Amino acid sequence: MRVLPAALVGPVVVIGAALGACSPLPSHQGYVVDADLVNSVQPGVDNRESVLQTLGRPSFASQFNQGDWYYIARESRAYGFQTPRPKSQLTLQISFDRAGTVTAIRRGSAEQIASITPSSKTTPTLGRNKSFFSELFGNIGTVGAPGAAGGQGGGGNRDTP
């Protein structure tokens, strides 16, 4: 058996740690899907109460129409400090009628994921662009100046009407 020289042990350890950092970090977000429980919910048979007992609370509920329930589960991965990228997604939409009975169950996938990139990091505003120093020192000399609001003749004296 051959033993590595002491001068090579350090670089081998550093290279091994660097390669270990390149492995993907999987993550799960949202509802934990149990296929048997999801398949047990049947349209026309189940109602809101039975779906709540079978699947639990939804990820969110629709604010419009009859209040559809949505269960969302996403698997993603990231390398190191990168932004996680979705690998798969399941969107389960359960629709109810006015009586609370399940009318439809729809499944969605990762094709429904929308990638939104903001246009810039600043919000455009109306008016002048002021620098930090003009904001900081811009009011010097204006407080109490004649003709300025809050200055002399502004009606702040109690003795005169």
Side-chain angles (χ1 to χ4, degrees):
M1 182 164 133
R2 190 171 172 193
V3 178
L4 287 175
L8 292 177
V9 172
V12 168
V13 169
V14 169
I15 290 172
L19 289 175
C22 293
S23 63
L25 303 171
S27 68
H28 176 83
Q29 298 169 323
Y31 181 72
V32 178
V33 177
D34 185 352
D36 293 334
L37 291 178
V38 170
N39 293 333
S40 70
V41 176
Q42 299 296 320
V45 176
D46 288 305
N47 58 18
R48 289 183 193 270
E49 201 57 41
S50 65
V51 171
L52 188 62
Q53 290 177 358
T54 304
L55 300 179
R57 290 182 50 196
S59 300
F60 65 92
S62 171
Q63 298 298 316
F64 305 104
N65 62 33
Q66 301 301 316
D68 294 350
W69 286 0
Y70 296 88
Y71 294 88
I72 300 173
R74 179 183 286 183
E75 300 288 334
S76 57
R77 68 176 185 193
Y79 289 97
F81 295 104
Q82 293 179 342
T83 303
R85 295 205 172 122
K87 195 165 80 173
S88 66
Q89 176 172 311
L90 170 70
T91 304
L92 185 67
Q93 176 187 2
I94 301 179
S95 300
F96 300 95
D97 62 5
R98 291 197 183 272
T101 306
V102 176
T103 58
I105 300 172
R106 295 175 199 85
R107 296 172 193 239
S109 61
E111 288 80 33
Q112 294 178 323
I113 299 173
S115 178
I116 300 171
T117 55
S119 61
S120 66
K121 292 185 178 184
T122 59
T123 304
T125 59
L126 301 175
R128 299 187 320 215
N129 289 333
K130 290 186 171 184
S131 68
F132 171 75
F133 291 108
S134 65
E135 287 283 341
L136 187 62
F137 300 117
N139 288 332
I140 293 179
T142 60
V143 178
Q152 295 175 357
N157 190 354
R158 291 181 183 228
D159 295 335
T160 56

